[in-house]
Amino acid sequence: MGRPYSLDLRERAVGAVEHGGMSRHEAARRFGVAVSTVVNWVRRFREQGHVEPGQMGGHKPRAISGGHREWLIGRCKGADFTLRGLIEELAAERELKVDYRSVWEFVHAEGLSFKKNAPARRAKPSRRKKNARQMDKLSASH
């Protein structure tokens, strides 16, 4: 992630526009930044009285919390589920729009998962079972 431009550069560019009579295009050319950058700095200065950068990054609270969390835990323990199905249920029943990643992280963090049942697993050969013997190693009596 990039870093914000220095406060000194911001103040000089805005000062050139506000007090020096330069246009935003001229100031952008002079200080080597994009025109839109100078436009935004001047707008911020006029609206907020400063040109300091806003906060970058930080903690974003989870969308699935409170009552939604309790409902989702109960739903996951009750019956089979898929992540895409949970997304649709949250949107339809709880009016909460979340993405696939949010639901996956929630299910993973809570230790909730749905495993396939035993009969479905029996259709595959066991990975631990010994391999069949080769025909040339069988005794002649067989």
Coordinates of all heavy atoms in Angstrom, one line a residue, residues 53-101:
P53 N -3.7 14.1 5.6 CA -4.4 12.9 5.0 C -5.3 12.2 6.0 O -5.2 12.4 7.2 CB -3.2 12.0 4.7 CG -2.1 12.4 5.6 CD -2.3 13.9 5.8
G54 N -6.3 11.5 5.5 CA -7.2 10.8 6.3 C -6.6 9.5 6.8 O -5.5 9.2 6.4
Q55 N -7.3 8.8 7.6 CA -6.8 7.5 8.2 C -6.7 6.5 7.1 O -7.6 6.4 6.2 CB -7.7 7.0 9.3 CG -7.2 5.7 9.9 CD -8.2 5.2 10.9 OE1 -9.2 5.8 11.2 NE2 -7.8 4.1 11.5
M56 N -5.6 5.7 7.1 CA -5.5 4.6 6.1 C -5.5 3.3 6.9 O -4.9 3.2 8.0 CB -4.1 4.7 5.4 CG -4.0 5.9 4.5 SD -2.4 6.0 3.7 CE -2.4 4.5 2.7
G57 N -6.3 2.4 6.4 CA -6.3 1.1 7.0 C -7.1 1.1 8.3 O -8.0 1.9 8.5
G58 N -6.8 0.2 9.2 CA -7.5 0.1 10.5 C -8.4 -1.1 10.6 O -8.5 -1.9 9.6
H59 N -9.1 -1.3 11.7 CA -9.9 -2.5 11.9 C -11.3 -2.2 11.4 O -11.9 -1.2 11.6 CB -10.0 -2.7 13.4 CG -10.9 -3.9 13.8 ND1 -10.6 -5.2 13.5 CD2 -12.1 -3.8 14.3 CE1 -11.7 -5.9 13.9 NE2 -12.6 -5.1 14.4
K60 N -11.8 -3.2 10.6 CA -13.2 -3.1 10.1 C -14.0 -4.1 10.9 O -13.7 -5.3 11.0 CB -13.2 -3.5 8.6 CG -14.5 -3.4 8.0 CD -14.5 -3.8 6.6 CE -15.9 -3.7 6.0 NZ -15.9 -4.2 4.6
P61 N -15.0 -3.6 11.6 CA -15.9 -4.6 12.4 C -16.5 -5.6 11.5 O -16.8 -5.4 10.3 CB -16.9 -3.7 13.0 CG -16.9 -2.4 12.3 CD -15.6 -2.3 11.6
R62 N -16.8 -6.8 12.1 CA -17.4 -7.9 11.4 C -18.8 -7.6 11.1 O -19.5 -7.1 11.9 CB -17.2 -9.2 12.1 CG -15.8 -9.6 12.3 CD -15.7 -10.9 13.0 NE -14.3 -11.3 13.1 CZ -13.9 -12.5 13.2 NH1 -14.8 -13.5 13.4 NH2 -12.7 -12.8 13.3
A63 N -19.3 -8.0 9.9 CA -20.7 -7.8 9.5 C -21.6 -8.8 10.2 O -22.7 -8.5 10.5 CB -20.8 -7.9 8.0
I64 N -21.1 -10.0 10.5 CA -21.9 -11.0 11.1 C -21.6 -11.0 12.6 O -20.6 -11.6 13.1 CB -21.5 -12.4 10.5 CG1 -21.7 -12.4 9.0 CG2 -22.4 -13.5 11.2 CD1 -21.2 -13.6 8.3
S65 N -22.4 -10.2 13.3 CA -22.2 -10.1 14.8 C -23.6 -10.0 15.4 O -24.6 -9.8 14.8 CB -21.3 -8.9 15.1 OG -21.9 -7.7 14.7
G66 N -23.6 -10.0 16.8 CA -24.9 -9.8 17.5 C -25.9 -10.9 17.2 O -25.6 -12.1 17.2
G67 N -27.1 -10.5 16.8 CA -28.2 -11.4 16.5 C -27.9 -12.2 15.3 O -28.3 -13.4 15.2
H68 N -27.3 -11.6 14.3 CA -26.9 -12.4 13.1 C -26.0 -13.5 13.5 O -26.1 -14.6 12.9 CB -26.3 -11.5 12.1 CG -27.1 -10.4 11.6 ND1 -28.3 -10.6 11.0 CD2 -27.0 -9.0 11.7 CE1 -28.9 -9.4 10.7 NE2 -28.1 -8.5 11.1
R69 N -25.0 -13.3 14.4 CA -24.1 -14.3 14.8 C -24.8 -15.5 15.4 O -24.6 -16.6 15.1 CB -23.1 -13.7 15.7 CG -22.1 -14.7 16.3 CD -21.1 -14.1 17.3 NE -20.2 -15.0 17.8 CZ -20.5 -15.8 18.8 NH1 -21.6 -15.8 19.4 NH2 -19.6 -16.7 19.2
E70 N -25.7 -15.2 16.4 CA -26.4 -16.2 17.1 C -27.3 -17.0 16.1 O -27.3 -18.3 16.2 CB -27.3 -15.6 18.2 CG -26.6 -14.8 19.2 CD -25.5 -15.6 19.9 OE1 -25.7 -16.8 20.2 OE2 -24.4 -15.0 20.2
W71 N -28.0 -16.4 15.2 CA -28.8 -17.0 14.2 C -28.0 -18.0 13.4 O -28.4 -19.1 13.1 CB -29.5 -16.0 13.4 CG -30.4 -16.7 12.3 CD1 -31.7 -17.1 12.5 CD2 -30.0 -17.0 11.0 NE1 -32.1 -17.7 11.3 CE2 -31.1 -17.6 10.4 CE3 -28.9 -16.8 10.2 CZ2 -31.1 -18.0 9.0 CZ3 -28.8 -17.2 8.9 CH2 -29.9 -17.8 8.3
L72 N -26.8 -17.5 12.9 CA -26.0 -18.3 12.0 C -25.4 -19.5 12.7 O -25.3 -20.6 12.1 CB -24.9 -17.4 11.4 CG -24.1 -17.9 10.2 CD1 -25.1 -18.4 9.1 CD2 -23.2 -16.9 9.7
I73 N -25.0 -19.3 14.0 CA -24.5 -20.5 14.7 C -25.5 -21.6 14.8 O -25.3 -22.7 14.6 CB -23.9 -20.0 16.1 CG1 -22.6 -19.2 15.9 CG2 -23.7 -21.3 17.0 CD1 -22.1 -18.6 17.2
G74 N -26.7 -21.1 15.2 CA -27.9 -22.1 15.3 C -28.2 -22.7 14.0 O -28.4 -23.9 13.9
R75 N -28.1 -22.0 12.9 CA -28.4 -22.5 11.6 C -27.4 -23.5 11.2 O -27.7 -24.5 10.6 CB -28.5 -21.3 10.6 CG -28.5 -21.7 9.1 CD -29.7 -22.5 8.8 NE -29.7 -23.0 7.4 CZ -29.1 -24.1 7.0 NH1 -28.4 -24.9 7.8 NH2 -29.1 -24.4 5.7
C76 N -26.1 -23.3 11.4 CA -25.0 -24.2 11.0 C -25.1 -25.5 11.8 O -24.7 -26.5 11.3 CB -23.7 -23.5 11.2 SG -23.4 -22.2 10.0
K77 N -25.5 -25.4 13.1 CA -25.6 -26.6 13.9 C -26.8 -27.4 13.6 O -26.9 -28.6 13.9 CB -25.5 -26.2 15.4 CG -24.1 -25.7 15.8 CD -24.0 -25.5 17.2 CE -22.6 -25.0 17.5 NZ -22.4 -24.7 19.0
G78 N -27.8 -26.8 13.0 CA -29.1 -27.5 12.8 C -29.1 -28.5 11.6 O -29.7 -29.5 11.7
A79 N -28.5 -28.1 10.5 CA -28.6 -29.0 9.3 C -27.5 -28.7 8.4 O -26.6 -27.9 8.6 CB -30.0 -28.7 8.6
D80 N -27.6 -29.4 7.2 CA -26.5 -29.3 6.2 C -26.5 -27.8 5.7 O -27.6 -27.2 5.7 CB -26.8 -30.2 5.0 CG -26.9 -31.6 5.4 OD1 -26.6 -32.0 6.6 OD2 -27.3 -32.4 4.6
F81 N -25.4 -27.4 5.3 CA -25.3 -26.0 4.7 C -24.2 -25.9 3.7 O -23.2 -26.7 3.8 CB -25.2 -25.0 5.8 CG -23.9 -25.0 6.5 CD1 -22.8 -24.3 6.1 CD2 -23.7 -25.7 7.7 CE1 -21.6 -24.3 6.8 CE2 -22.6 -25.8 8.4 CZ -21.4 -25.1 7.9
T82 N -24.3 -25.0 2.8 CA -23.2 -24.6 2.0 C -23.0 -23.1 2.2 O -23.9 -22.4 2.7 CB -23.5 -24.8 0.5 OG1 -24.6 -24.0 0.1 CG2 -23.8 -26.2 0.2
L83 N -21.8 -22.6 2.0 CA -21.5 -21.2 2.2 C -22.4 -20.3 1.3 O -22.9 -19.3 1.7 CB -20.0 -20.9 2.0 CG -19.0 -21.6 2.9 CD1 -17.6 -21.2 2.6 CD2 -19.4 -21.2 4.4
R84 N -22.5 -20.7 0.1 CA -23.3 -19.9 -0.9 C -24.8 -19.9 -0.4 O -25.5 -18.9 -0.5 CB -23.2 -20.4 -2.3 CG -21.8 -20.3 -2.8 CD -21.7 -20.0 -4.2 NE -20.3 -20.0 -4.7 CZ -19.5 -19.0 -4.7 NH1 -19.9 -17.9 -4.2 NH2 -18.3 -19.1 -5.1
G85 N -25.2 -21.1 0.1 CA -26.6 -21.1 0.6 C -26.8 -20.2 1.9 O -27.8 -19.6 2.0
L86 N -25.8 -20.2 2.7 CA -25.9 -19.3 3.9 C -25.9 -17.8 3.5 O -26.6 -17.0 4.1 CB -24.7 -19.5 4.8 CG -24.6 -20.9 5.6 CD1 -23.3 -21.0 6.3 CD2 -25.8 -21.0 6.5
I87 N -25.2 -17.5 2.4 CA -25.2 -16.1 2.0 C -26.6 -15.7 1.5 O -27.1 -14.7 1.8 CB -24.2 -15.9 0.8 CG1 -22.8 -16.1 1.3 CG2 -24.4 -14.6 0.1 CD1 -21.7 -16.2 0.2
E88 N -27.2 -16.7 0.8 CA -28.6 -16.4 0.3 C -29.6 -16.3 1.4 O -30.5 -15.5 1.4 CB -29.0 -17.5 -0.7 CG -28.2 -17.4 -2.0 CD -28.5 -18.6 -2.9 OE1 -29.5 -19.4 -2.6 OE2 -27.8 -18.7 -3.9
E89 N -29.4 -17.2 2.4 CA -30.4 -17.2 3.6 C -30.2 -15.9 4.4 O -31.2 -15.3 4.9 CB -30.1 -18.4 4.5 CG -30.6 -19.7 3.9 CD -30.3 -20.9 4.8 OE1 -30.5 -20.8 6.0 OE2 -29.9 -21.9 4.3
L90 N -28.9 -15.5 4.6 CA -28.7 -14.2 5.3 C -29.4 -13.0 4.6 O -30.0 -12.1 5.2 CB -27.2 -14.0 5.5 CG -26.5 -14.8 6.6 CD1 -25.0 -14.7 6.5 CD2 -27.0 -14.3 8.0
A91 N -29.3 -13.0 3.3 CA -29.9 -11.9 2.5 C -31.4 -12.0 2.6 O -32.1 -11.0 2.7 CB -29.4 -12.0 1.1
A92 N -32.0 -13.2 2.4 CA -33.4 -13.3 2.4 C -34.1 -13.2 3.7 O -35.0 -12.5 3.9 CB -33.8 -14.7 1.7
E93 N -33.6 -14.0 4.7 CA -34.2 -14.0 6.0 C -33.8 -12.9 7.0 O -34.6 -12.5 7.8 CB -34.0 -15.4 6.6 CG -34.6 -16.5 5.8 CD -34.3 -17.9 6.4 OE1 -34.0 -18.0 7.7 OE2 -34.3 -18.9 5.7
R94 N -32.5 -12.6 6.9 CA -32.0 -11.6 7.9 C -31.7 -10.2 7.3 O -31.3 -9.3 8.0 CB -30.7 -12.1 8.5 CG -30.8 -13.6 9.1 CD -31.6 -13.6 10.3 NE -30.9 -12.9 11.4 CZ -31.3 -12.8 12.6 NH1 -32.4 -13.4 13.0 NH2 -30.6 -12.1 13.5
E95 N -31.9 -10.1 6.0 CA -31.7 -8.8 5.3 C -30.2 -8.3 5.5 O -30.0 -7.1 5.7 CB -32.7 -7.8 5.6 CG -34.1 -8.2 5.2 CD -35.1 -7.1 5.6 OE1 -34.8 -6.1 6.1 OE2 -36.3 -7.4 5.3
L96 N -29.3 -9.2 5.5 CA -27.9 -8.9 5.7 C -27.1 -9.3 4.4 O -27.1 -10.5 4.1 CB -27.3 -9.6 6.9 CG -25.8 -9.4 7.2 CD1 -25.6 -7.9 7.6 CD2 -25.4 -10.3 8.3
K97 N -26.5 -8.4 3.7 CA -25.8 -8.7 2.5 C -24.3 -8.9 2.9 O -23.7 -7.9 3.4 CB -25.9 -7.6 1.5 CG -27.3 -7.6 0.9 CD -27.5 -6.6 -0.2 CE -28.9 -6.6 -0.8 NZ -29.0 -5.7 -1.9
V98 N -23.8 -10.1 2.7 CA -22.4 -10.3 3.0 C -21.8 -11.1 1.8 O -22.5 -11.7 1.0 CB -22.2 -11.2 4.3 CG1 -22.5 -10.3 5.5 CG2 -23.0 -12.4 4.3
D99 N -20.5 -11.1 1.7 CA -19.8 -11.8 0.6 C -19.4 -13.2 1.1 O -19.4 -13.5 2.3 CB -18.7 -11.0 0.0 CG -17.5 -10.8 1.0 OD1 -17.8 -11.0 2.2 OD2 -16.4 -10.5 0.6
Y100 N -18.9 -14.0 0.2 CA -18.5 -15.4 0.4 C -17.4 -15.4 1.5 O -17.4 -16.2 2.4 CB -18.0 -16.0 -0.9 CG -17.7 -17.4 -0.8 CD1 -18.6 -18.4 -1.1 CD2 -16.4 -17.8 -0.6 CE1 -18.3 -19.7 -1.0 CE2 -16.1 -19.2 -0.5 CZ -17.0 -20.1 -0.7 OH -16.7 -21.5 -0.6
R101 N -16.4 -14.5 1.3 CA -15.3 -14.5 2.2 C -15.7 -14.3 3.7 O -15.2 -14.9 4.6 CB -14.3 -13.5 1.7 CG -13.1 -13.3 2.6 CD -11.9 -14.1 2.2 NE -10.8 -14.0 3.1 CZ -9.7 -14.6 2.9 NH1 -9.5 -15.4 1.9 NH2 -8.7 -14.4 3.7

